[in-house]
Amino acid sequence: TGVAGTVDDSDIVRFTPTSTGTNTSGSFSWYFDGSDVELTVNNEDIDAIHRLPNGNLLISTIGSVGVTGVSGVDEDILVFTPTQLGSTTSGSWAMYFDTSDTGYQGDVTGVWVDSATGRIYLNVEDSPTINGMSITPSDIFACAPTSLGTNTACTWDSALTWDGSAYGFNAGVDGMFIVLP
């Protein structure tokens, strides 16, 4: 309850629980209406999302994306600076992380940024080799960015942050939130 209309793959709804566990209950509300901010074709469905401490949203899509101010592909991460969120969403777009600038080309399916260090953690749909690491969709890997935006640069870690297969997890990771020690 709480969301009027049709929810699309380019939208984000928020669940606010009143109880959790085996008897979970609560309500849903609009958080981000993608069609209000030009996410209107199937390739622009949201594949990965992360909310920065300042309220900006990092978004990667399943395919090519073209919005006012920036265009990209499925390996890119755009930043959305909201002026309004909810059922009427508005704001502006820019390139946050042009992954192909860093030597990787493939579909980003999860992103998380350590707000203390700026390190970017990713998981992907394919199985690339980056900096000598063989990566699978069940893994999480990271880099330390030295430049963001249309001229992205970063230093890739030499080891996986999390090797899913080492823990018996062989499915693709669709999203993540990391709690660092």
Side-chain angles (χ1 to χ4, degrees):
T1 64
V3 176
T6 302
V7 176
D8 184 74
D9 296 346
S10 63
D11 301 327
I12 302 165
V13 293
R14 174 187 289 185
F15 178 71
T16 305
T18 52
S19 66
T20 58
T22 57
N23 295 311
T24 298
S25 63
S27 62
F28 289 94
S29 60
W30 280 104
Y31 185 76
F32 177 89
D33 185 339
S35 65
D36 287 350
V37 291
E38 303 177 80
L39 298 182
T40 57
V41 298
N42 284 337
N43 276 346
E44 296 172 339
D45 293 345
I46 295 172
D47 207 9
I49 184 165
H50 175 75
R51 184 179 181 276
L52 295 170
N54 65 3
N56 291 349
L57 300 175
L58 300 183
I59 292 176
S60 184
T61 57
I62 66 168
S64 297
V65 59
V67 292
T68 300
V70 68
S71 62
V73 293
D74 59 356
E75 74 247 15
D76 295 328
I77 301 168
L78 307 182
V79 60
F80 178 73
T81 302
T83 53
Q84 182 172 327
L85 290 168
S87 61
T88 304
T89 301
S90 61
S92 60
W93 294 98
M95 180 62 70
Y96 182 79
F97 191 81
D98 186 342
T99 308
S100 63
D101 285 352
T102 68
Y104 168 70
Q105 292 181 323
D107 188 10
V108 171
T109 57
V111 59
W112 186 79
V113 177
D114 181 350
S115 60
T117 65
R119 293 179 60 70
I120 299 172
Y121 294 80
L122 301 170
N123 60 286
V124 294
E125 184 176 73
D126 49 349
S127 298
T129 298
I130 299 174
N131 198 24
M133 292 181 292
S134 295
I135 299 166
T136 70
S138 65
D139 299 329
I140 297 172
F141 59 105
C143 77
T146 55
S147 174
L148 293 170
T150 56
N151 294 307
T152 300
C154 74
T155 303
W156 293 106
D157 287 358
S158 59
L160 295 172
T161 301
W162 190 67
D163 180 351
S165 63
Y167 298 96
F169 185 79
N170 295 309
V173 175
D174 272 343
M176 67 180 130
F177 183 87
I178 300 173
V179 179
L180 297 173

